[in-house]
Amino acid sequence: MSFFRPELDRLAGYMPGEQPQDTGWTKLNTNENPYPPSPLVVEAISDAARGRLNMYPDPHGTKFRKAAAEVLSVDPDWILPGNGSDEVLTILTRSFAGSGDQVAFPYPSYILYETLADLQGAPCVRLPLEPDWSWNFDKVMPVVEKCKLVFIPNPNSPSGNRWTWDDLISLTPPRGVLVLDEAYGDFADYPHRGELLNSTIGSQVVITRTFSKSYSLAGIRFGFAMAHPSIIGGLRKMKDSYNCDAISLAAATAAIQDQAWMLANVSKIRATRERLSNALTSLGFHVVPSQANFVWATHPTGEHKAQYDALRARKILVRYMTFPNVSWASDQRLDGLRITVGTDAEIDMLLTALKEIV
Ligand SMILES: *Cc1c(COP(=O)(O)O)cnc(C)c1O
């Protein structure tokens, strides 16, 4: 007998990528940054640790919001810090999606959105993407128009493609909220800045960002939402009072103030991404042009699971992904390898191994 809510009992639960805790792995499976965070971050963490750990942290993360506001050219009232951007996505779902409110997200994409909606007992609909990862607006708009909440990662995962601002804005539900999950925004050619929110239907659009990828801080849980203060005010009521701890607030504040460090790592990763994409193409893979810190590679043999296993046997971890019910994939099932852009040395190891495998 189970006493859990039926929503929970029905759920398989979100499966994050593998995080082996022993050493010796080349880890290219969960899109972490291979480079360390800014030394100023480490300094800020140790200062915070020597500081007032007996006291509760600032519930509003004021220092962080001021620092972020400056970088993003918005007012601090437009920023809501969270314990990782996944927590921000949870707060958004809990704030907007009641049991009858429809949630939608592109498919194939980040499947956590579906888990969050399921946990709320909110009906969740997949917006099918075309084979080239573009939108067929005639197909998806009738669904979007009935939604309370639409989540779109931009750039998308696992494909790494990015949609235009016009495409995205047209997916705003007329009576609801559009969430642009910009976990990978800093790796794109023209990262969005806050001013774009001011100039559009600002009170219906939320942008989320994370420190786990471009800022090299996946081990510190920190992300934030950026939106019109009327939205931020509501989200604040939903969040735990102390959702961000003193250590992560100090780390994130130092990280966002060192833009030069983050941008230097992003530029190394973008260069390696080009090299990786070209090399995979030479090995016969089809690679989607990526605007993120990973690439989506499929091979005409379709032997992705075997390739993943052979890499794993060599202690190289990539992400093997399958997406059922994709009309344009063979057997309606899309699968492939999502490979994080590591250091040049890591990518060389991967390519050497793949040359033997494929
Ligand atoms: C990594 C990722 C996140 C999660 O970021 P955290 O801040 O580590 O919770 C959110 N959305 C997408 C699309 C991601 O890939």
Side-chain angles (χ1 to χ4, degrees):
M1 192 195 300
S2 165
F3 299 110
F4 285 113
R5 290 164 55 219
E7 288 88 344
L8 192 64
D9 267 336
R10 273 197 300 269
L11 214 74
Y14 181 73
M15 277 289 278
E18 198 180 345
Q19 307 294 355
Q21 296 301 309
D22 54 330
T23 54
W25 290 91
T26 299
K27 207 171 161 304
L28 305 172
N29 67 331
T30 48
N31 300 342
E32 288 128 324
N33 197 311
Y35 302 109
S38 159
L40 299 176
V41 170
V42 182
E43 214 171 286
I45 289 174
S46 86
D47 286 352
R50 277 193 295 266
R52 310 189 309 151
L53 289 184
N54 55 319
M55 298 291 167
Y56 280 111
D58 175 1
H60 302 303
T62 311
K63 271 193 200 147
F64 169 76
R65 288 190 301 118
K66 279 194 182 142
E70 207 158 293
V71 170
L72 299 158
S73 346
V74 292
D75 198 79
D77 290 349
W78 286 64
I79 309 278
L80 180 94
N83 183 29
S85 74
D86 284 349
E87 192 215 12
V88 176
L89 300 173
T90 300
I91 294 170
L92 285 161
T93 311
R94 290 170 64 195
S95 300
F96 291 110
S99 57
D101 295 324
Q102 185 165 291
V103 178
F105 71 108
Y107 187 80
S109 183
Y110 192 41
I111 212 75
L112 177 73
Y113 310 127
E114 192 164 80
T115 309
L116 295 177
D118 288 348
L119 282 169
Q120 270 309 93
C124 191
V125 186
R126 298 171 174 183
L127 306 170
L129 294 167
E130 299 301 296
D132 64 355
W133 303 91
S134 66
W135 294 99
N136 176 340
F137 289 99
D138 291 340
K139 195 150 66 182
V140 302
M141 282 320 285
V143 179
V144 167
E145 275 158 20
K146 292 196 202 93
C147 281
K148 190 68 174 298
L149 191 57
V150 173
F151 285 109
I152 302 181
N154 193 51
N156 191 35
S157 172
S159 49
N161 72 293
R162 181 173 190 256
W163 296 292
T164 66
W165 184 251
D166 286 346
D167 273 5
L168 294 169
I169 287 305
S170 62
L171 292 159
T172 310
R175 281 173 299 279
V177 171
L178 172 71
V179 176
L180 300 177
D181 178 349
E182 296 197 346
Y184 303 106
D186 289 322
F187 299 101
D189 291 344
Y190 303 101
H192 293 155
R193 293 286 164 184
E195 63 270 20
L196 287 169
L197 280 180
N198 291 319
S199 63
T200 58
I201 37 175
S203 59
Q204 282 176 272
V205 181
V206 179
I207 290 180
T208 64
R209 287 282 179 91
T210 177
F211 280 69
S212 302
K213 317 276 164 58
S214 56
Y215 290 97
S216 311
L217 286 173
I220 286 281
R221 304 295 303 135
F222 201 89
F224 64 95
M226 180 162 58
H228 190 275
S230 61
I231 293 186
I232 296 294
L235 300 177
R236 238 182 229 157
K237 291 193 268 180
M238 179 56 80
K239 81 174 186 76
D240 290 347
S241 306
Y242 306 110
N243 62 326
C244 298
D245 61 87
I247 302 276
S248 63
L249 280 167
T253 307
I256 206 162
Q257 284 171 332
D258 197 348
Q259 288 292 297
W261 184 275
M262 181 275 278
L263 292 171
N265 288 338
V266 162
S267 116
K268 280 189 270 187
I269 289 167
R270 284 167 53 97
T272 311
R273 178 178 77 197
E274 286 322 295
R275 198 165 71 81
L276 170 63
S277 303
N278 293 335
L280 287 171
T281 307
S282 311
L283 287 171
F285 284 93
H286 177 257
V287 183
V288 181
S290 172
Q291 290 281 299
N293 68 336
F294 56 84
V295 299
W296 176 246
T298 51
H299 199 269
T301 57
E303 294 292 333
H304 308 118
K305 179 65 167 64
Q307 291 162 353
Y308 161 83
D309 286 334
L311 287 170
R312 199 173 189 289
R314 292 165 168 80
K315 296 205 99 176
I316 300 172
L317 266 189
V318 299
R319 191 81 170 261
Y320 169 68
M321 297 184 113
T322 57
F323 295 90
N325 305 313
V326 176
S327 63
W328 42 267
S330 69
D331 299 329
Q332 310 245 317
R333 181 175 150 283
L334 179 72
D335 76 342
L337 303 178
R338 195 192 67 183
I339 304 171
T340 304
V341 180
T343 61
D344 280 311
E346 289 173 326
I347 293 307
D348 286 341
M349 275 180 58
L350 169 85
L351 291 169
T352 305
L354 277 177
K355 271 175 204 145
E356 293 167 19
I357 293 164
V358 298

